[in-house]
Structures are given as structure tokens and as C-alpha cells.
Amino acid sequence: DFEASFIRLIDKVTNGSRIEINQTGTTLYYQPGLLYGGSLEHDCSPSRSIGYYLEGLLCLAPFMKHPLKIVLRGVTNDQVDPSVDVLKATALPLLKKFGIDGENLEIKINRRGVPPKGGGEIVFACPVRKVLQPIQFTDPGKIKRIRGTAYSVRVSPQMANRMVESARSILNKFLPDIYIYTDHMKGVSSGKSPGFGMCLTAETINGTILSAELASNPQGQGAPVLPEELGQNCAKLLLDEIYRGGCVDSTNQSLALLLMTLGQRDVSKVLLGPLSPYT
Amino acid sequence: MEEKEKKQHRTKHSGPKAEKKRKRYLSELGIGDEEDARKRNPKAFTVQSAVRMARTFHRTQDLKTKKHHIPVVDRTPLEPPPVVVVVVGPPKVGKSTLIKCLIKNFTRQKLVEIRGPVTIVSGKKRRLTVIECGCDINTMIDLAKVADLVLMLIDASFGFEMETFEFLNICQVHGFPKIMGVLTHLDTFKNNKQLKKTKKKLKHRFWTEVYPGAKLFYLSGMVHGEYQKQEVHNLGRFISVMKFRPLTWQTSHPYVLADRMEELTNPEDVRINPKCDRKISLYGYLRGAHLKNKSQIHMPGVGDFIVSDVSFLPDPCALPEQQKKRSLNEKEKLVYAPLSGVGGIVYDKDAVYIDLGGSHAFQDEVRPNHELVQSLISTHSAIDVKMASSKVSLFTDSRPLGSEDVGQEFVMPKEERKFDMKAGRIRRKALFEEEKENDGVSDEEDDEDEEEAAMSEDGSDGDDEDDAEEKSDTELLEEKMADGRAKRLKREVAKEEAVDELPAFADSDDDLEVSSEEGKTLHEENEMEEDEEEEESTNEDESSDGVFETASKRVAESKQYEINSEDKEIRSQMSGQRLKRKAVLTTDSGNCTAEEASESEAENSFLDEGDDEEGSHDDSEVEESDRKGFRHAQVKKSDSTGWTKFKAVEAEDDDVENLLREEEEYEEKIDSSADTTGALKWKEDLAQKAAQAFLRQQRSTPNLRKLVYGTAVEDEDHESEDTGDELGGLFHVSRPDKASKQKANALDCSKFVIEKLQDWDLEEVMSSIRDCFVTGKWEDDKDAAKLLEEDEELYGDFEDLETGVVHKGKRAAEGDEHESEEEEEDGKMSQPEPKEEEKQKERMDKKRKLKEMFDAEYDEGDATYFDDLKEEMHRQAQLNRAEFEDQDDETRVQYEGFRPGMYVRIEIENVPCEFVLNFDPHYPIILGGLGNSEGNVGYVQLRLKKHRWYKKILKTRDPLILSLGWRRFQTVPMFYIEDHNGRHRLLKYTPQHMHCGATFWGPITPQGTGFLAVQSVSGTTPDFRIAATGVVLDLDKSITIVKKLKLTGFPFKIYKNTSFIKGMFNSQLEVAKFEGAAIRTVSGIRGQIKKALRTPAGAFRATFEDKLLMSDIVFVRTWYPVSIPMFYNPVTSLLKPAGEKDSWSGMKTTGQLRHERGIKLKQNKDSLYKPIVREKRHFNKLHIPKALQKALPFKNKPKNLEKKGKTPKDQWRPAVIREPHEKKISALLSALSTVNNYKVKKAKVKHREKLKEYLKVKQKDDEQKFKRQKEAKKKIYRMLGQREKKRQKSSLKGSSKGEKSM
């Protein structure tokens, strides 16, 4: 049903698309329309996180007719998809590299929502560019800083701090410049279910951003996770990402390649780590 | 006498004497010894007015920036396509003459009949394609879209004609190419003054149309039916140095101006159904953007097609190779115009004359049909190469003959040509498609060739070959092999021989080397594959009879040869090496890695020659998957040693070996890294792990390139696969697409899920990535370069590429790097270079950097945004060029498509037969590439303006022919205008002098594209033909145009402000839909629909701001969306029979139809105008009740207006009847009073005048008085001020004194 939701979303951003689903629901005919954009709102299905929808939008947004500004509601962080935080930290700088920047390129997290119930809300805005700049991006450079957010909703704020502590304990061996924000959402902005997690990004001197993230098990599913453990694992994931290298991290490989193909007729170069199965 | 010889006096201009003189002169003038006026009189040069200064500065800056264009990335290829020069003009103005003269000027050849485009080499770096444009509007539109330069011929004796302006307008719409005017018929002017006047007049008119200062050329007079040589020469010079600004549409779309057309339909099909769709091939230079195979194209005048095949051919009209000379020699002045019969082929209606050139032909001439044959051959296994070469010689002549021959040849009419042929010229008439039927005039060899060619064609068509043909093939094969053997032996003796002269048919072993050495010319590749196929087939497939025979023979031969050669071992190794190479090549082409290659090698290395390579390759892949990394490395090591050994044997330095070396280095690096750090056990472990990871990765992405670039032919291995398929499905390759499978099953998620996390707690693992951080160790080269880098970060960019590569190389040693394609290539380039060269390079780099730094320092001052932008664009252009520079055309074509400048052959299927049957070379054939969404059809919104010279206005539902993008099509536009609230309201007609919107159903074209509209393309009218012009605004898939619809109703019951209205709707439901809508009466009373009534149906209750009258009409304004007719009809003017091509007519307008059929429009009687009759309105008297009257105040009481009754007689006043005397008196009195009145009046006037004068004087006095007073006041104030100042001064002094005293 997240697919249905996604198609509905695509229908919203386009103009004149046709969708036909047969009665048994086994075949889907979709004829896309023109990408239109504009100010929109969409309620995402809580079975997948907003990241799932946002990834699709990131690919399409620069090519809309009107600048896109969309409010997405649903699960902001889960264990399956790249979270909104990660996309905010990695995909946006990547778009900027392609010349898609300006004031209103942003992802704003108004509310956080974790599975199973969600309740998060983000605002994604993206300007439109006539042409994409070609990129020359073959030297990842050395990592100069590590940033991150540790979030906790509807649990003790102490959780976030504990995650940060444990993550730092690992990363400090490599780099002193680590700053992990703790983001504790309260009240309305904390969604409907409890949960916590963290995402880490490593930035190199050349502006390459690598990221990793981990989220706690949703309420009532699986064993409860210790925040310390989660922090450590997340840090390790980041190290693994660094180990794999590349100028674009694994979540955004496809985006980078897509934008390269859709750019002008100029040569773009990018160095990737091992290709993820998705790309 | 002596006096005469005296020297003349010369005044000295320099030296002490002159100086003295000058000083004296200056002092006499009263100027000091300062000569520079600026110094002498600085005041004269100071800023007089800051405002003016600012203004002048602004102005200069404005002028400067006006000259700037937006910089664009230079995408012109190194060898640009010929410049398209379109010669336009009304009939009888001298177009063809000019073209002939130009061609003669550039090539010294005389063409008599010009048909279609003519390509000539005009200079060392420029070619021209000259084409004539008639005054058919279709042609004009098409050619304006592809023109780079327009020569606009104007008959000076007549002046401008409509065609000229039409063409200018077409140009304006479709991007403005360079336009050069040429005035002809200047010799008709006898009067010099008039000539001058006319020239000036025309020039200024031309300038207003094009741009001020546009070049206008004058061709004065004709000499022997030609223009004057010098003038044509000058014109040619102008053309060949002209610069062009790239036009948006042209640079973003590939297009071909076809200069040759051939039909490839199966003759059998044509026989069965003469009207079947044809398959044709078109030839021409590719221009604009890169063309991809299988892309969509549009042929204006024919329709949309999918390119079924594209291939590039050697340039028939190539630029001279070496550029050192100052001018071209005779040989390089080529001309190519197949449609006009130059370039070997003369087109007739149903036949083609092929000019063989005889003994005059140049042997190393370019071969126009080379590729055609190649492609045929490559798909056909058993055809040998000789065939190809002979076929080639068939068409070998882009410029076939000496100039005099050509001259002769074309002066003669057709009949004489035949005669000429009989006279002994090698020239045959070949029927258009069936080349089999040859005349038999040619000699034996040609006969054979023809046959073979025909066969090859058959093969390509997929027909079965009969045995006899095969026999002949094999015979030829044998011949060839004998040849080859001899050559091979020779080669063995002198192995280091220069490879260039190696004949095309060498044996496979040598051939491989050669091909790799020679940059793999297509020719040889094909051959080699064939050979290999044969070998394979001999061992694998015993069924093919003829081939088998020869091949087996050949194997025996080769064995003999082996005995002959020095030692067997080397031989076997050779074979192994060959396989190895092959493997390496495959790895090179694909994304497979060295491991794979070495693997297959390890398996194949000492297998027999005839082993099935592909199979083993696959096997190796499969095996490889479960192989351990460690063993892997070992194998590699052994391999590498093997290679080195081999290198000793064969010291040839070719591509393949470079590759090998690179692999070796790579190997060594791994080994060394393992050695140096290998003391620890974990390292091995790591390496192993890395290898495993690598393998895994490999499996998941089997061949990236193949995935991305589809089934396109890669390198040799893939081609061999293709041919293998053709051979009979023996080597059908079905590589499992693992990645796609994986994708299909997996969760659709971009997150990279890691199965097994590395144990980051271990110290060792951690240290493996330590270097990735700034705190870690920097690489040597980076450290060394670091200082430099930090000094000037400006140029960090330049370095990145190189250092990046090296850096990666090191990291690859750690084994954690996935080798991407680029990297591999880069590595290939940089690695095998010897150390010294590298050092040298480094030094050069340093030097360059220093220079750049220096430059930067000096240029700092005037580096503007514009310059920066330009610089960036330039850099990008260089990068673009550099990226694919080192690859051969084959591979390049795979990646970036066919690049502009190539001579391409485009095959198109399903072309209507009329195109072929009614082919007329006078009409240009253009293949315009379409963007990826431009093939679709949808609603397109335009901004449109009726052309001010078009006489009529356009009606909204009338069909109109638009020229938009590449296309010309008829469609039905709807005109609209945008209201203030963004509503698009339908218009019935276009406004006279205003823009309006238009929407039509037609091909999607990107926003900002210009278009023009004509009512009809058929025939010529004296009027201006272009009806409207405009631009595409928007593309939409939904309709937004609305039409006003007023629903009227009548009140049937009126209460105070509420009324019941009927007649507006028909049912309650309708009313419900309009509840709350605003309604209005004609008299302007506003109201609102409230609720439906039960009876009568459709009636409703409404409230108004005032009470209605029963006579009021109530209406509601609604908007009704208009559906746009989905009518899109491409103009297929090229399908019309010859001579009628300008008579295309599509859908007719209603007006035309009415006119033709004589149907009068039935007019609505109501809408006829008639005189307005206004009845006089009668108002009743106001009646106020008596009771009210009583209550009113007096003021408001109705006055007694009733007439008094007649006054009784007694109350009448008696009339006064005067006596005559009294009458006199009264008359006198009145006369006197008149006089008096007059006097008084006069006096008054006089008095007024006097008063005026007095006031004037008084004012003057006053002024003077005021002045005086003012002066006095001024004086006083000055004094006061002075006094004040003094006081202040004194006080200051006092204070200072005081201070001093303090």
C-alpha cells in the first residue's frame, strides 16, 4: 500500500497522468504526465518511511515546471529506508553540487514520527533549474569532521545522550572533530510512537559526505535495543561506509548517476564506492 | 647645373637642434617648456561634472557589456561538419549561377546542374555545404532551420521581394543564422547616381531587417554568364572566414542534411507490392548534437521515423590532413555532391550511373560506401575481404576525375553520356536496386565484384545463400589464404617490420597483433573475427561443409608453418598468449577485472588453438564465483611471471602489452603491499576478505558497460559474439543478468544493507581506514604537493584529477577499492608511463602552475564575473574533448553517440513508397533528431501574434499550418486571451495588433521554441504568406481554455428582494450545482441563487439587492471549457509527385469550403443589426394623498400648480395706447439712453485700460523698490554677518589667548 501511496504522490506532482489498476490489483498501468510541481501536501503510508517517497521526489524535483514545495506526513525515521535526516545531510549537498541550490532547497523536519504509527511531518522544497552543471567529483579527500543527530521521541531524553556517548567512544579514535546533536522532540512534534535512533555523517575536506544511520526497533516488534549498542553500531556502520569509500555515499549513488545522465552534454565524473544493489 | 643638384633642405625632427627649435616655438606660443597639455593645464582636464562623468562611464560600460554574449560551452567537435550555406532568393535572381561560381571558385570545377547539397572544401579548416533554396515555402522553412549562413540574393533592379522578407521572418523565428545579402543585377543600372542611391536604399532596408551593419555584397554584372571572378572570390573569402554563433535549436538537436539517398528494400517485396513501405538509407554529415542509434527522427515533409541503424563512413570530402601548408593543393579541393552527380553516382529517375573513374581515380581516395559493405560483411561469415575491397573500389571516387574530365562529362547531355561509355570509359549503368543485372561492359573482375556485392546484400537481407555462391566464396577464401600464408611467412622473418603495410588479409595470429596495434581498424577486426570463427567452427561444428574444408586445410597449413618456425614451444605459447590477450581485451572492454581475465587465462593458456573461447570464459566466470581470493592471487602471480617470460620472447610494444604490464604492476603492488605489511597475519586475511568482497561485487555487477549501453557492440569479443550468433546459434551467449534478478527480488530500497559488518573493534581493521581521516597519514605525493596546493588553492582543481588517480592506485593496493571505469582508463593512461616521463610531467606541471599563478596575479584586476564564467566554460569544453580523445571511433560512438562532423549513413524503415518514387533531389531532405519527449503529442500553448503584413485575421477553429521545431504540420489552434484572474478566455479571432494565446494539439516541443504559421503551403500568392509568429509558452496535458456561457432566466414571482426565477435551468440537480452563484439582471441588480424550487423544474429562489421588475432578464455568467480538436496532420510535401511538391494542401478552412461550394452562411436573424427604436417613456403624475399633503411642512407641500382660471375681463389691465407725441418722446428717450449706454461702456473700457497701465507701472516700481530693499537688506545682513564673524573670531582669539595664557 506504500506503492499506492507513492503513485498517488506522483500523480499529485504531475499533470495529466493516467493510472489504471485492474480489478484484481495485479497489473498497473501508469502513464506519466508532465512534472508540474507547486505547493502540495501528501500523507505517506506509515508502512514505509518518508525517505522512500522523498527519494523519488529528489530525482524528480529539479525537473518540475514550478518549484516544488511539498509537505509529507508519515514516518520520518525507520529501519528500512534512509531517514529524512540522512537525506537532508547527504542528498541536498549532492544536489547543490549539480547547481540546484538557492534559498529554497531544503528539507525541514517539523515533527518526527517513528514506526509503527508515524506522525512525523517534513517540508521539502526544491527550486527548478534549467540546466544541471556537470560535476567533476573524483577525489573524495580526507575526512575532516563528523556530525550527526541522535534523536529520541517519546522516550527519555537521556537515551540520545547515551547514544552519543557510545558513538563518540568509537569515532574519537579517528577524529577529534565530532559533534553529534541530540534532538529530543516533545509534545506534538514527537509523533505518535516512541523510538530513538541516530544518523552520522562524515564530511571530507572536498565536501564529500558519507553517512550511516540506525534506528531502534519499533514499539512492540523485536527486542528492545540498548541505546549504547545502537550508538556503537551506528558508528561502526559509518566506519564501514568510509571503508567503502567513494565520493557519494551508498544511498545517493543512484541519484548522482541519474543527475549526471540528465545533465547537459558535458562530461561528468564521479567516483563511487562499490555499487549498492539498488543502483 | 650645380644648383639643381643641391640637396633639398630637410627639417630635423630629432636631435638637439630640433629640440631647441621646438622649445623656441613653444615659448613663442607662450607655453612653457611643458609640452603635455595635461600637465601644463591641469584644470582643463579635471572633472567638470561628476554626474556627467558617471554617465559617460555608465555608457561605456553599457556598450561594453552589450557586446557580451552569454558564454556557452564550446561543443564544436574538432572536425566540424561543413557549414551549411543556403542560397535564397526569388526566382531568376541568379542563385544557381552564384552557386556554380562559388564552386568553381573553390574547386576549379564546373558543375552544370546543381541538384541537392554540394559539399566543397573551402579552406584548411572549413568545408561548405552549399544548397539552393527555391521559393516554395516548405523548402524555405526547412532550410532556414538547418542553415548556418544564408546568402540572400536580391535583385537590385527590382528591389526586395516578398520571398526575401518571408525568408527573413522564417529565420527570425527559427533562430537567426548569419545572413549575408548579395545584390545582383547591378549592371542594369546605366546611371551611376541612381545605382548608388539604390544600393544605399537597399542597404538600409536590409539593415533594419537583419541588423545594422549586416554585410551586403554587390555583384556587379555578369561576364560570360558568370559573375566576375574577383567578386566571387571575395565573397568566398568572406564565407570561409565567417564566425558563427551557435543557435539553440541546432546545437541541441542532431540533424543531417542528407546528400544521398538509397533504397534498400528487398526487390522481391517491391515486386509483390509496388506500394509497400520502403527501407532507405540516407547519407550526410551529422550536425548539431550527438546522434544515438535507434533514436527518433523527423523528416520534414515526410514524417517521424525511428532510426533503424546508423553507421559512420569515412569522410567523402575530408579536410586536408596536414595543416602546415598555407593553401590547399589541387588534390585537396574536393567537391562532393552525389545528388548532382559529383562523387561517382549520377541519379536518374530509375537508374544510377556509377562513375568508376577509370585510371584517373586516386587509389587512396576516400570510400563513400565502405561502411555499407563493411556492415554487410560483418554480419556475413563466409564472405572474404577481397570482396569488400573490390566493392569499395566500385564506389571509390568522391572526386573521381581530373577536372577537365568532369567538365566534359557534365556538359554533355544524357544520351551522349552513354555514347561516352561506349567509347571506352569504364562506366556502367546500374539499375537502382538490382545490382545483379550488370551490363557486362565492365571487365571480369568487376563482374565478380558485383556478384559478390549482390550476395552480400542478400546476406544482409537474411536470405539464404545458395551453395554455388558459397563455393565461390570458399574458392576466394582459399586464394586469399594462400596470399596470407605467404605474407605471414615473410612477416615471421622480419617481425619488427612496420605494421602499416600489412595487407588486409593476414592470418589470424598476426592479425590480432596488427589489429591491436593499429587501433583496430574495423576492417581488420571483422576479418580477424571471421577467421577465428572459422577456426572455431572447424573444431566445434563439423557441419558447415564448404567452410570446413577450407578451414581444415588451413589448420594443416598452420601446422606446417609451426614446424617451420623456430621452436614449437614459443609457438604454443604464442597461441596461449593470443588467448590471453583476447581475454585481456575482453576485460578491458567490459567491467570485468584482471582477476577474471587471469582466471580464464589460467585455464585457457595451454589449451589448443581451436578451443571455444566464449564457453571457457563463461565457465571461468562460473567457477570463479566460488574461488578463494588467495588462490586467486597465486594464480595471478604465476600468470604474471608467465607474461614477463613471454615479453622476453616478444618485445613488441603494443596496446595489449601495455595492458598486461599494467596488470602486472597492479599485481606487484598487491604483492608488495602484502609483503611489506604482510608480517601480520591479519593482513592476509584482509586481502582475502577484500578479494572476496570484490568478487561478490563483481558478481552483482557483471558488466556495467553492457548494462548501460545495451546490446551495442563493445569490442572485438562482443562482435565475435554477434557473428557467432549469425553462424548458427552455436555461440549464443546468454549471460545471466544477475544484477537485474537481484533487483527484482529485493526490497525496493536504496539503503545499502551490509550482510556482514567488519569487526571494527579490532585495532587492525581500524587502522585500515585510518588514513581516510585528516588525522591520518597523507600519501607521499600529496604531502609533497601539499605545500604547493595550499599556497594557491585557486588551482587545486587542476591537480585533482591526477593526484586523485595516483591516490586511488594506492588505495587499490589495499584492496578496498572498486575500480570504476574511468579510473581504470585513467590508470591505463598514467600507469604504464615510465618513471622519467612522469617526473618530466611533474616538472612541467609545476612550471605551468607557476605560470598560472603569475598570470592570475596580473589578471586579478580585470577578472570579472563574465571572465570567470567564460573560463569555466572553456575548462568544461576542454574536459569534454579530453574525455574520449584517446578512444577510437567505434568505442566513442558507443558512449556518446555519433558526434557531429561524422559522415553518417542512416537507415530508416517503413518509409512511404511515395518518398522514393517521387524523389526529387532539388528538395532538401533533412533528418532532424528529436529529443526524448519530442516524439509525443500533447497540448501546446503558444504566444501568438498575427503577422502585421498578413492581410486577414485568423479564425479560431480554422486549420493552420505551423512550423515548429523540425516539423511542419497542420493543426487546429484555438486562440485565447488571458484575463486578469488567470483565466484563459476563448477568442473567436486573433486580435489585430496584439499578442494572444493559442493552444493546439500537436507535437510536444520545448518551451521557448519559436514557430510560424501559414495558412497554406501550396502555390504562390502575391501576398505575404506568413500568417502568424510566436513562441511556445507551456506544455500541458489538460485543457484550460474556457468560453463564456450566459444562462438566462425570467422572474415569475417577485417579493421584496426575493424573486423566483424560471427558465435558467432544467432540473433541480442543475440548480443545486449552481447554488450560491452570483446572478445579475440586465439592469444591473446583483443577486445570488439560493435554492431550487420544486415546481416548475429548474426554477429557483434568488435574492437580489433590490426589487426586480417582471420585465427584467436574469442571467448567470458561467465558463465552459472548450475541447481542443485533436487534429495533427504533418505536412507531407515530399511525398507529392515531382513538380507538384509545392501543392500540398491539407484540411480546408470552413471559409474555403463555403466559397468552393457556394454555401452562404445562414445568419441568425437576431444577430442582425437594425436601427434602434426608442419609445418615448411616459411618466404618470406624482400623486400625493391629501392626508399626507396636510401633514407635510409647507416647504414640501405641493405647490398649487393647477392653473388659475381665466382672469375675468374686469381684472384685465387696460392696454396703454400712446399718442404720437408720446411715442416720439419715448423713442427719443430710448435712443438717448442707448447713446448714453454706449458712452458709459466706452468710458468703462478706457478706465480699465488705464487701470491696467497704472498697475503695470506700479508693479515695476514695486519691483524696483523691492530690489532696492533687498540690496539694502543684503548689505545689512552682510555687515551683520561680518560683525558676527569678527566677534566670533575675536572671541576665538580671545579664547585661544585665554588658552595660551592658561
Side-chain angles (χ1 to χ4, degrees), chain B residues 1118-1133:
Chain B
T1118 58
W1119 298 99
Y1120 179 72
V1122 181
S1123 69
I1124 288 143
M1126 303 230 270
F1127 175 71
Y1128 162 59
N1129 181 21
V1131 174
T1132 50
S1133 56

Side-chain angles (χ1 to χ4, degrees), chain B residues 711-726:
Chain B
T711 55
V713 191
E714 290 174 9
D715 267 347
E716 292 138 81
D717 72 326
H718 198 89
E719 266 185 44
S720 69
E721 277 168 30
D722 272 4
T723 42
D725 283 346
E726 295 276 5

Side-chain angles (χ1 to χ4, degrees), chain A residues 227-249:
Chain A
E228 282 88 0
E229 206 174 302
L230 191 139
Q232 278 187 350
N233 285 337
C234 190
K236 283 175 188 171
L237 274 178
L238 182 68
L239 293 181
D240 209 61
E241 184 74 40
I242 292 165
Y243 173 74
R244 269 177 274 149
C247 286
V248 179
D249 71 337

Side-chain angles (χ1 to χ4, degrees), chain B residues 329-340:
Chain B
N329 59 24
E330 255 346 273
K331 231 187 220 178
E332 287 160 351
K333 288 177 179 170
L334 296 170
V335 56
Y336 180 69
L339 287 177
S340 333

Side-chain angles (χ1 to χ4, degrees), chain B residues 1084-1106:
Chain B
I1085 302 169
R1086 291 167 298 180
Q1088 200 181 24
I1089 296 175
K1090 286 295 182 194
K1091 194 147 188 165
L1093 297 174
R1094 209 156 293 155
T1095 49
F1100 60 89
R1101 173 168 57 89
T1103 56
F1104 291 88
E1105 57 186 3
D1106 201 355

Side-chain angles (χ1 to χ4, degrees), chain A residues 15 48 55 65 142 244 266, chain B residues 750 752 771 880 1035-1036:
Chain A
N15 169 0
R48 290 291 285 266
E55 276 191 317
K65 197 177 263 186
K142 305 272 188 190
R244 269 177 274 149
D266 293 320
Chain B
S750 68
F752 194 177
D771 286 348
N880 287 352
L1035 310 164
D1036 224 332

